[in-house]
Amino acid sequence: GQQLNQSPQSMFIQEGEDVSMNCTSSSIFNTWLWYKQDPGEGPVLLIALYKAGELTSNGRLTAQFGITRKDSFLNISASIPSDVGIYFCAGQLRSGAGSYQLTFGKGTKLSVIP
Amino acid sequence: SQTIHQWPATLVQPVGSPLSLECTVEGTSNPNLYWYRQAAGRGLQLLFYSVGIGQISSEVPQNLSASRPQDRQFILSSKKLLLSDSGFYLCAYSGNTIYFGEGSWLTVV
């Protein structure tokens, strides 16, 4: 089955530092997604990447869809305390039945020290 | 705009009791709907998905079932809960990608 390797598992950084996390897969995906989850809440979509090689920014967030369609990274610049949470990558395929199949990484837990 | 709601947000149920978690989507028609389960704050596992009314696909064998009685309503159920059913359950719908509800914490005691 498809698997996503997300790293690092956890990070402790100083406020103001930049953050980088990545995901790799043994399989190709059509879309790469990055979600953030705050404690006790559902994941919120941060960035969606639809084309191989695509580089997309959303405020202080930047993500890229690897050329091989098997990897992606997420960068957060100038981290702030509210960046704390768990970040998930997900690879998405659309099935023949029309539903989307997501494969999730195990998450990167980010802690920001003020 | 599209929104998704699920309830209850938290639930404590005794072993052997029934379960019903509800999810509704607004602002879209004929969405694909999903139930995920998340253990220990990580690792989302797809339980069920539905491409239309009455159409349910199960991804993993388990003690739970799902139903879609209306186009924008998705229900997760169990006749008799097990301790191992405890966890964080997430409803989701797909537009151009998948969007999640707020989640429901289930504790089986």
Side-chain angles (χ1 to χ4, degrees):
Chain A
Q2 296 167 334
Q3 290 185 340
L4 291 189
N5 297 310
Q6 183 171 352
S7 63
Q9 267 192 324
S10 61
M11 302 178 73
F12 288 84
I13 61 168
Q14 205 75 33
E15 182 178 356
E17 288 183 348
D18 297 343
V19 174
S20 184
M21 59 192 79
N22 68 83
C23 276
T24 60
S25 169
S26 57
S27 304
I28 290 174
F29 291 102
N30 296 333
T31 302
W32 276 89
L33 307 164
W34 285 94
Y35 290 88
K36 182 195 176 193
Q37 186 174 25
D38 292 328
E41 299 183 13
V44 175
L45 182 67
L46 298 174
I47 290 181
L49 302 159
Y50 299 103
K51 297 179 182 178
E54 179 181 356
L55 182 70
T56 297
S57 293
N58 179 8
R60 293 179 296 107
L61 306 178
T62 302
Q64 185 159 32
F65 192 166
I67 288 290
T68 63
R69 293 200 285 158
K70 292 184 178 181
D71 62 289
S72 177
F73 71 75
L74 174 70
N75 289 340
I76 306 173
S77 62
S79 59
I80 60 178
S82 61
D83 290 333
V84 165
I86 300 179
Y87 293 79
F88 291 97
C89 65
Q92 179 177 289
L93 291 172
R94 186 155 189 173
S95 73
S99 70
Y100 289 99
Q101 303 294 325
L102 284 187
T103 303
F104 283 89
K106 293 189 176 180
T108 296
K109 187 174 182 180
L110 178 64
S111 301
V112 179
I113 304 167
Chain B
S1 62
Q2 299 160 347
T3 58
I4 179 170
H5 299 288
Q6 64 177 102
W7 68 93
T10 58
L11 196 60
V12 180
Q13 291 284 101
V15 169
S17 65
L19 170 73
S20 180
L21 298 179
E22 292 199 33
C23 173
T24 59
V25 180
E26 299 175 359
T28 183
S29 59
N30 197 32
N32 291 339
L33 298 173
Y34 308 80
W35 277 110
Y36 284 84
R37 177 180 166 182
Q38 187 176 33
R42 303 194 174 208
L44 291 99
Q45 180 186 36
L46 178 63
L47 302 177
F48 301 95
Y49 70 90
S50 171
V51 299
I53 295 174
Q55 301 179 60
I56 309 295
S57 296
S58 174
E59 288 295 301
V60 294
Q62 59 204 308
N63 185 43
L64 303 169
S65 62
S67 61
R68 185 168 178 176
Q70 301 180 39
D71 180 44
R72 289 173 286 181
Q73 184 184 26
F74 205 21
I75 298 172
L76 185 68
S77 304
S78 174
K79 291 183 180 179
K80 291 185 178 182
L81 284 168
L82 306 172
L83 286 174
S84 57
D85 291 325
S86 294
F88 191 49
Y89 290 85
L90 291 155
C91 181
Y93 76 96
S94 56
N96 55 346
T97 186
I98 293 185
Y99 300 91
F100 290 89
E102 309 95 329
S104 298
W105 279 105
L106 170 65
T107 303
V108 183
V109 296

